[in-house]
Amino acid sequence: MTISIYDTLAGKKVPLETIEPGLVKLYVCGITAYDFCHIGHARSALVFDMIVRYMRYRGYKVKFVRNFTDIDDKIIKRAAEQETTCEELSERFIAKFREDMAQLKVDDPDIEPKATEHVPEIIEMIQELIDKGMAYPADGDVYYRVDRLKDYGKLSGRQLDEMQAGARISVNEIKENPMDFALWKSSKPGEPTWDSPWGPGRPGWHIECSAMSRKYLGDTFDIHGGGKDLIFPHHENEIAQSEGATGAPFARNWIHHGFVTIKDEKMSKSLHNFLTIREVLADHHPEVLRLFMFSTHYRTPLDYSEQALHDSALGLERLYSCVAAIGELSGSVGGTSAISAEDREKISGLVKRFVQAMDNDFNTAHGLGMVFETVKDLNRIRQQLPSDPAAEDVEFLQALSCKIRELCRIMGLLTEPAAEYLKNRQQGELAGLAISSEEIEKLIAERKQARLEKNWGRADQIRDLLLEKEIELKDSAEGTTWKITKKG
RNA sequence: GGCGGCGUAGCCAAGUGGCUAAGGCAGAGGUCUGCAAAACCUUUAUACAUCGGUUCGACUCCGAUCGCCGCCUCCA
């Protein structure tokens, strides 16, 4: 069995075949740093975090590069608006991005190069393209000669003439062909600028990724990733630049993830329908957001709603509760063994089924289904355990519980001690309520006394009183516990 | 206009050319409980947008239709 991935270039699922056995070279387009990141950016980070973790879980070494674009039209514009420098602005938002990633517990890539730190490599590549006749200087700019690459458009499935028939192409008198795109832009006064053979200027939008991926991963590497909206023109142009300059194939496989939508529309600044990562994290545990993201396949659009996050929070609690309950079990040698061979076999198949699901283009939704199915079985078995469970049974359940944690960790789930998570969740929610845990405990003690006296009226009264304050009581043999009620 | 994707139960969401169409949330009944809650058990799609075609057999392949969305301009 091997991992199969949906490759945008091939237009179908292909087996992962790395250039060097056992090593995956991965380049992902990171953010343009000029504003806070929204949850669409979070999806990108989370998806590739999961993909890298899964490939490592499956035994691959992964060299993961994700860049920062820190020079660009939007950055220049925003810096001017805020009366600051491009450098200050981009550094500020790179720092914010790092904070967001830390909150989400996203692992750092191996290399995080910045465009402004690779201007010599960029200039060198542009010069190669000019030397090969693939690009031409014009008035201090340099443009890529799009019709010189025979298969331009192969990634996005477009033909040059079809695109030219479209209405929305920027008119620019100095270009030979309206589809030609800028590799180098001459700088206006006050803009960041670097010296170049074509005069002072700055890199165009796409060239930095070509130059940086080449530097860190070589002319040809395994996988290039990003959001679906980057397919055209960004990734198409990267291919044109890199293959035009090196003559070698660029990335072998392309992974593109879907968007986060709100009310089924793509989040975007112009529609004002985006939520920043920090806004969402203010109200939701990072693992809740992760479970939400991974309950849908990465290529499918994901519609954000508070209801969906709420459902995910319950799902996560279900996972943690199962792990916590199993952690509390203890068995004894010579105790009663009660787990059937059938159950043992079924549950033991979890890892195999999970891997099958994930090998199929990182189908986390399916993989999570396998985990939840096992949780259901584990809960049932635990409930049916005799009062003197055998040590071997308890060990079996605990071993499975460990497996669940191990698999969930690929998605960044169940990373906290279960009891702690459940307790923190409770206290976090309590902060928003009009009652303290001391008061609750006091009422529980009073109710316990009432129940001993079989004063059911008073006992129920206390329970209802707490319920009004959104506290739900649970009686069990070990005593009474409480939790916040699940409200909408 | 060009290119691409999607349409599965109340909601979210996997999946397969034929074997019981995963899982989560919500709902119903039950076990447990003084009564509850939690947990567990059972249950909830004669059916996978519509219409045709291929096939012994399609939700799964092909074509058309309708609806939704994305890219073609900055975008994760």
Side-chain angles (χ1 to χ4, degrees):
Chain A
M1 273 304 287
T2 180
I3 300 175
S4 78
I5 63 181
Y6 182 88
D7 173 29
T8 309
L9 190 58
K12 60 182 181 189
K13 284 182 197 170
V14 298
L16 175 62
E17 286 166 359
T18 58
I19 298 164
E20 285 178 47
L23 173 67
V24 176
K25 292 182 180 178
L26 169 69
Y27 187 93
V28 172
C29 287
I31 59 160
T32 298
Y34 73 105
D35 204 344
F36 289 104
C37 289
H38 57 62
I39 55 179
H41 298 107
R43 188 177 197 192
S44 179
L46 256 13
V47 161
F48 287 106
D49 187 52
M50 173 276 291
I51 286 176
V52 168
R53 289 189 201 198
Y54 185 67
M55 292 193 296
R56 287 182 174 146
Y57 174 81
R58 294 285 272 121
Y60 289 94
K61 289 209 184 323
V62 181
K63 187 170 181 185
F64 175 25
V65 181
R66 185 181 60 208
N67 73 288
F68 288 110
T69 296
D70 59 347
I71 178 65
D72 153 89
D73 290 352
K74 292 190 296 297
I75 294 173
I76 291 170
K77 183 161 174 262
R78 185 63 59 90
E81 284 167 10
Q82 298 191 3
E83 297 180 339
T84 184
T85 63
C86 290
E87 189 181 3
E88 187 283 324
L89 182 85
S90 59
E91 284 303 319
R92 189 164 86 231
F93 283 108
I94 285 172
K96 299 294 183 192
F97 172 80
R98 291 192 198 282
E99 287 172 18
D100 289 342
M101 292 303 107
Q103 285 287 300
L104 290 170
K105 294 180 191 149
V106 170
D107 290 341
D108 289 334
D110 300 293
I111 303 169
E112 295 184 277
K114 294 175 191 166
T116 55
E117 291 171 359
H118 296 78
V119 174
E121 289 88 343
I122 288 169
I123 288 174
E124 190 184 328
M125 189 173 243
I126 295 173
Q127 189 61 54
E128 282 176 71
L129 287 166
I130 293 174
D131 293 345
K132 291 190 175 183
M134 309 295 294
Y136 56 96
D139 272 5
D141 297 344
V142 180
Y143 292 96
Y144 189 93
R145 199 169 262 141
V146 142
D147 53 18
R148 284 298 295 276
L149 196 79
K150 58 281 154 206
D151 53 4
Y152 184 79
K154 65 181 173 185
L155 182 70
S156 54
R158 291 157 209 267
Q159 308 284 321
L160 270 177
D161 47 353
E162 279 169 2
M163 285 188 279
Q164 284 164 6
R168 296 192 280 182
I169 294 170
S170 63
V171 181
N172 182 334
E173 298 297 321
I174 60 176
K175 290 187 195 174
E176 291 177 2
N177 180 317
M179 290 308 296
D180 289 350
F181 58 91
L183 299 171
W184 188 262
K185 294 183 175 187
S186 61
S187 48
K188 300 191 189 80
E191 291 180 357
T193 183
W194 288 264
D195 287 331
S196 83
W198 320 285
R202 59 191 167 86
W205 174 34
H206 318 293
I207 191 70
E208 82 278 20
C209 289
S210 284
M212 294 190 286
S213 62
R214 182 189 199 179
K215 176 171 181 182
Y216 295 104
L217 299 176
D219 289 353
T220 304
F221 55 94
D222 297 297
I223 300 173
H224 192 131
K228 277 190 158 129
D229 47 0
L230 295 181
I231 296 173
F232 192 91
H234 186 56
H235 289 337
E236 196 69 72
N237 290 348
E238 278 186 54
I239 294 176
Q241 292 160 346
S242 293
E243 299 195 347
T246 69
F250 189 43
R252 297 177 114 199
N253 301 127
W254 291 80
I255 292 179
H256 291 101
H257 65 260
F259 305 124
V260 178
T261 60
I262 287 190
K263 294 193 169 67
D264 293 324
E265 282 187 320
K266 183 186 171 188
M267 274 191 194
S268 76
K269 307 257 171 183
S270 53
L271 286 170
H272 299 290
N273 64 345
F274 63 92
L275 285 161
T276 62
I277 294 174
R278 47 196 61 207
E279 281 169 337
V280 172
L281 255 25
D283 295 331
H284 303 283
H285 187 99
E287 290 192 14
V288 169
L289 184 61
R290 293 185 86 118
L291 180 61
F292 167 66
M293 293 277 179
F294 294 129
S295 56
T296 298
H297 182 83
Y298 77 85
R299 280 189 283 115
T300 305
L302 179 61
D303 200 50
Y304 183 94
S305 69
E306 286 304 318
Q307 181 62 47
L309 268 278
H310 172 259
D311 289 354
S312 295
L314 292 183
L316 185 63
E317 192 172 336
R318 183 171 164 81
L319 295 177
Y320 268 119
S321 298
C322 173
V323 168
I326 287 176
E328 283 166 13
L329 294 175
S330 63
S332 58
V333 179
T336 310
S337 179
I339 304 180
S340 71
E342 266 179 325
D343 277 338
R344 279 179 179 269
E345 195 185 329
K346 182 182 176 199
I347 298 172
S348 301
L350 168 66
V351 172
K352 193 182 160 203
R353 286 181 291 145
F354 181 86
V355 165
Q356 257 169 23
M358 291 289 284
D359 274 358
N360 182 15
D361 196 28
F362 311 104
N363 195 333
T364 51
H366 198 190
L368 280 167
M370 303 290 115
V371 170
F372 274 106
E373 198 179 355
T374 304
V375 163
K376 192 174 182 175
D377 289 330
L378 252 25
N379 281 339
R380 171 175 50 82
I381 292 166
R382 194 197 80 234
Q383 188 102 359
Q384 290 167 353
L385 240 30
S387 53
D388 62 330
E392 72 214 52
D393 280 5
V394 171
E395 276 165 26
F396 175 76
L397 294 180
Q398 290 178 341
L400 255 300
S401 169
C402 281
K403 278 293 171 207
I404 285 176
R405 298 190 81 124
E406 189 182 318
L407 298 178
C408 282
R409 217 173 297 131
I410 293 165
M411 291 171 273
L413 301 173
L414 303 187
T415 62
E416 298 183 13
E420 209 168 285
Y421 171 85
L422 295 169
K423 189 170 154 231
N424 287 342
R425 172 175 155 76
Q426 189 169 61
Q427 289 185 340
E429 290 190 335
L430 202 59
L433 298 178
I435 190 164
S436 70
S437 57
E438 289 76 28
E439 287 174 87
I440 295 169
E441 294 301 335
K442 201 174 138 197
L443 284 166
I444 287 175
E446 191 185 334
R447 176 164 168 273
K448 187 180 175 186
Q449 187 57 37
R451 292 180 74 205
L452 283 174
E453 294 161 7
K454 297 206 189 297
N455 182 353
W456 308 127
R458 178 57 186 157
D460 290 352
Q461 193 183 16
I462 290 170
R463 190 175 63 208
D464 293 344
L465 182 83
L466 284 170
L467 199 57
E468 249 172 60
K469 296 183 189 286
E470 299 182 15
I471 304 297
E472 201 168 75
L473 297 181
K474 294 193 280 184
D475 294 331
S476 75
E478 293 83 44
T480 300
T481 57
W482 55 273
K483 68 187 291 182
I484 317 284
T485 53
K486 295 162 183 173
K487 293 239 168 148

